[in-house]
Amino acid sequence: MAEDKSKRDSIGMNMKGCQTNNGFVHNEDILEQTPDTGSSADNLQHSTTSILGSQEPDFKDVQPYAGMPKEVLFQFSGQARYRIPREILFWLAVASVLVLIAATVAIIVLSPKCLDWWQEGPMYQIYPRSFKDSNKDGNGDLKGIQDKLDYITALNVKTVWITSFYKSSLKLIPDEDFENLVAAIHDKGLKLIIDFIPNHTSDKHTWFQLSRTRTGKYTDYYIWHDCTHENGTTVPPNNWLSVYGNSSWHFDEVRNQCYFHQFMKEQPDLNFRNPDVQEEIKEILRFWLTKGVDGFSFDAVKFLLEAKHLRDEIQVNKTQIPDTVTQYSELYHDFTTTQVGMHDIVRSFRQTMDQYSTEPGRYRFMGTEAYAETIDRTVMYYGLPFIQEADFPFNNYLTMLDTVSGNSVYEVITSWMENMPEGKWPNWMIGGPDSSRLTSRLGNEYVNVMNMLLFTLPGTPITYYGEEIGMGNIVAINLNESYDTNTLHSKSPMQWDNSSNAGFSEASYTWLPTNSDYHTVNVDVQKTQSRSALKLYQDLSLLHANELLLNRGWFCHLRNDSHYVVYTRELDGIDRIFIVVLNFGESTLLNLQNMISGLPATVRIRLSTNSANKGSEVDTSGIFLDKGEGLILEHNTKNLLHRQTAFRDRCFVSNRACYSSVLNILYTSC
């Protein structure tokens, strides 16, 4: 009986008011309506019909409540007070999405191209045989470079450039040493580029040995021609000369023909008109790229092709007796350099490298070296507007200055910028393995001012090892080397400290002697000197890394004469400029107010070649500069020079950008 009563009570609760709780607790403040007793039968009948019958429920007088069924919900969803807010929220969501999409597209369209790793900071060029000896044999090695990576990173360098480290052209060194070096360089956050010399191989190379015996496809891997050879005397096919002098043809007794060499006779030129040779070179590129190399410096590319004919090249002095023409400079080299099709070969190298540039952050850099060319011919290696070639040809024209003045420095700067294709990226170097060191060419007093020039010009600064401490040439005589000793004077061992062999090697004999000034010109000494060349170099590289004015800004030339060069670095959106004042002549007094209108009476020195002046104020109406002195002045102004008509032809920018201080971003619609 109790069970039956419980069931009846349960049914009564479920039927009450024809409302199902569905697990939700009704608001206790809502009092239940007591059904009219007189109509209890009708209500019960109606309730029963609502639940069990087929009639549509009537929710006309029902108020919204939690957990209501969809039939009840639909009664209210169409009311204006519910429908309008819902529609407003929907269209606000749609509008927000569209605004986000538009903002994303605008940022992508208006944002300038990010600088790549080869543009962000300086490259440090190392001649590996002279940098650091790790195994005490008197020769620098790859392990030695690895041991000195902390020093390189302290220079704020972004890229390590290792010149040729093969035992001979295209002959490989131990894989393990190289792989360890690549891994260590990448662990330091640096990139690695290496020299690649496609023009020739060693005469000991397997290809050459097979070619001289006319074996298979290797028969035509080199440039062979018949020549007369009697009693030890060779009559070459024509008057073509080697870069190092005398005939560029050498008789081979095995093949009984002469082979062509633009450099030493031990370096026979490859025949790049043979498609198999081109494919072989690309396969070698793939080998190094697979090893993790981030880019190449392609050396001697202008020599890749020679004219098919064998006509004599024209003498510079037409009255000179032909038999006495033995020096390379005595001929015009119209048939042995920069031939039609040469750039196509270089572009094919670019295409091979692009196959390895698809991963984010793994772009492979390509540089070309075409020394002794005019600037207008050198910049052709940038490629065409829609055909990519080199990222940049290396600009070594500052290294050719045997005497320096404000005018000569200005001429190099403007010649490169005026000839460089629009939108391309410049680079600058003041030394290299094939040129005399800066201090030996110009003098010790120019080390700091030339480094200041290097870091304040637009583009990538490139430093040859030792230039950061002011190393000079050695006086090398009677060297036991098989090649031109004139090229060795700038390759002396790196001067690390004042111990034996300048800390380069613990061997009793080094492959080249150390410069006699290593007791005072070395890394350890200059680390502790506040006014050293090394300290200024580090300050300059740090400023270059942290200042948009230097790594992205406009360059505007103000004035130059036989003594000085003055220019500014500026960027839209930044209300200050750097005024760079560099003196390459004798002591001079400079009035900047005559060059820049509205310049205040004093401005602050951001950096100086004389560190004692750093942070002080200078009188702009009369700046006294000693020989070899340089200043980077900081001036707050909204009147940027590149916007002024008077300076329009004297301002240059590679990748135009503007800075928004509000959003802290760069954009292009200035």
Side-chain angles (χ1 to χ4, degrees), residues 611-622:
S611 62
N613 296 330
K614 180 180 177 181
S616 62
E617 301 283 327
V618 64
D619 183 355
T620 56
S621 65

Side-chain angles (χ1 to χ4, degrees), residues 78 131 161 170 181 202 204 250 377 401 456 470 529 583 638:
F131 197 62
W161 171 9
L170 304 182
L181 177 60
S202 165
K204 304 295 190 296
H250 185 74
R377 297 184 72 171
L401 296 178
T456 55
Q529 295 174 340
N583 185 32
K638 296 188 177 190

Side-chain angles (χ1 to χ4, degrees), residues 43 75 99 174 177 237 245 276 331 469 522 607:
N43 287 339
Q75 294 294 318
V99 168
D177 288 351
D276 289 337
L331 291 178
I469 60 173
N522 67 66
L607 273 183

Side-chain angles (χ1 to χ4, degrees), residues 392-523:
F392 53 64
F394 290 104
N395 174 2
N396 73 321
Y397 293 92
L398 288 172
T399 71
M400 297 180 181
L401 296 178
D402 292 327
T403 59
V404 67
S405 68
N407 290 333
S408 62
V409 169
Y410 167 73
E411 179 64 26
V412 171
I413 296 171
T414 55
S415 294
W416 187 271
M417 290 180 175
E418 289 173 357
N419 281 279
M420 187 178 67
E422 184 178 356
K424 297 299 183 180
W425 190 256
N427 69 100
W428 312 92
M429 53 204 308
I430 57 176
D434 297 319
S435 60
S436 181
R437 283 194 178 272
L438 175 68
T439 57
S440 300
R441 284 186 292 118
L442 306 178
N444 292 328
E445 62 268 33
Y446 291 110
V447 172
N448 288 337
V449 72
M450 289 299 284
N451 278 327
M452 184 170 282
L453 172 71
L454 191 69
F455 278 99
T456 55
L457 290 175
T460 299
I462 302 172
T463 295
Y464 183 52
Y465 82 97
E467 298 289 356
E468 73 275 18
I469 60 173
M471 281 177 56
N473 285 358
I474 55 170
V475 180
I477 56 175
N478 299 323
L479 295 171
N480 185 25
E481 295 295 330
S482 60
Y483 49 89
D484 186 0
T485 58
N486 291 327
T487 66
L488 299 178
H489 295 176
S490 62
K491 298 172 182 173
S492 60
M494 178 65 176
Q495 295 164 202
W496 296 105
D497 54 44
N498 58 12
S499 65
S500 176
N501 298 324
F504 162 71
S505 173
E506 296 180 23
S508 58
Y509 174 83
T510 57
W511 84 282
L512 284 180
T514 306
N515 198 307
S516 59
D517 66 0
Y518 77 89
H519 291 285
T520 55
V521 181
N522 67 66
V523 172

Side-chain angles (χ1 to χ4, degrees), residues 510-545:
T510 57
W511 84 282
L512 284 180
T514 306
N515 198 307
S516 59
D517 66 0
Y518 77 89
H519 291 285
T520 55
V521 181
N522 67 66
V523 172
D524 272 6
V525 166
Q526 294 197 13
K527 278 182 179 178
T528 62
Q529 295 174 340
S530 61
R531 299 187 182 185
S532 68
L534 177 60
K535 184 64 170 63
L536 177 64
Y537 184 94
Q538 291 173 315
D539 289 344
L540 286 167
S541 62
L542 191 62
L543 186 68
H544 182 273

Side-chain angles (χ1 to χ4, degrees), residues 11-21 26 43-53 55-59 62 65 69 72:
I11 293 173
M13 290 174 65
N14 289 332
M15 299 291 291
K16 191 176 188 179
C18 193
Q19 296 181 9
T20 304
N21 191 324
H26 287 285
N43 287 339
L44 179 60
Q45 183 180 2
H46 175 72
S47 298
T48 304
T49 303
S50 298
I51 297 174
L52 304 176
Q55 297 181 7
E56 289 294 326
D58 182 8
F59 302 112
V62 178
Y65 59 91
V72 180

Side-chain angles (χ1 to χ4, degrees), residues 20-37:
T20 304
N21 191 324
N22 289 332
F24 289 89
V25 178
H26 287 285
N27 193 321
E28 294 180 359
D29 293 336
I30 301 176
L31 299 178
E32 294 182 353
Q33 297 291 331
T34 303
D36 184 69
T37 56

